[in-house]
């Protein structure tokens, strides 16, 4: 399944965005089975708050084995140094 989640013109400074909520609900509902990975062009699109971004990537999505791939750095959240790199670029 291929899906696009876009919260156009909404700030990434908070998590209460319709498409982010839809994404997390879809992941949870499918227990991650509907997703091979999540591609983001820039990690700040998930959240501009470093703590929230880390929670989304390394808890919410990783809990269902859904890796996040940051297209800008071509790095997967499953890479050994991902936490450090994501924190630096997030």
């Amino acid at each position: 399944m291929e899906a696009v989640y876009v919260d156009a013109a909404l700030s990434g400074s908070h998590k209460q965005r319709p498409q982010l909520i839809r994404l997390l609900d879809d992941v949870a509902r499918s227990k991650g089975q509907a997703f091979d990975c999540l591609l983001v062009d820039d990690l700040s699109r998930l959240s501009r708050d470093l703590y929230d971004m880390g929670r989304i990537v390394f808890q919410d999505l990783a809990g269902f084995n859904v890796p996040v791939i940051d297209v800008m750095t071509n790095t997967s959240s499953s890479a050994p140094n991902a936490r450090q790199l994501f924190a630096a670029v997030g």
Side-chain angles (χ1 to χ4, degrees):
M1 174 176 126
E2 184 176 314
V4 176
Y5 301 84
V6 178
D7 280 314
L10 292 178
S11 173
S13 64
H14 60 87
K15 288 176 61 175
Q16 298 307 311
R17 301 186 322 266
Q19 293 298 300
L20 177 61
I21 292 167
R22 180 178 147 234
L23 164 69
L24 296 174
D25 287 348
D26 288 351
V27 168
R29 189 175 355 324
S30 74
K31 296 183 177 22
Q33 298 300 308
F35 295 82
D36 292 324
C37 67
L38 174 67
L39 297 174
V40 293
D41 63 340
D42 184 339
L43 288 169
S44 68
R45 300 294 88 210
L46 286 177
S47 179
R48 293 198 186 277
D49 179 278
L50 186 58
Y51 175 79
D52 283 344
M53 186 271 296
R55 184 180 182 116
I56 292 167
V57 172
F58 297 108
Q59 289 181 4
D60 298 341
L61 297 172
F64 291 107
N65 295 314
V66 177
V68 174
I69 299 174
D70 174 29
V71 174
M72 186 168 56
T73 63
N74 194 31
T75 302
S76 172
S77 59
S78 60
N81 63 341
R83 288 180 185 264
Q84 292 83 6
L85 182 62
F86 281 22
V89 298

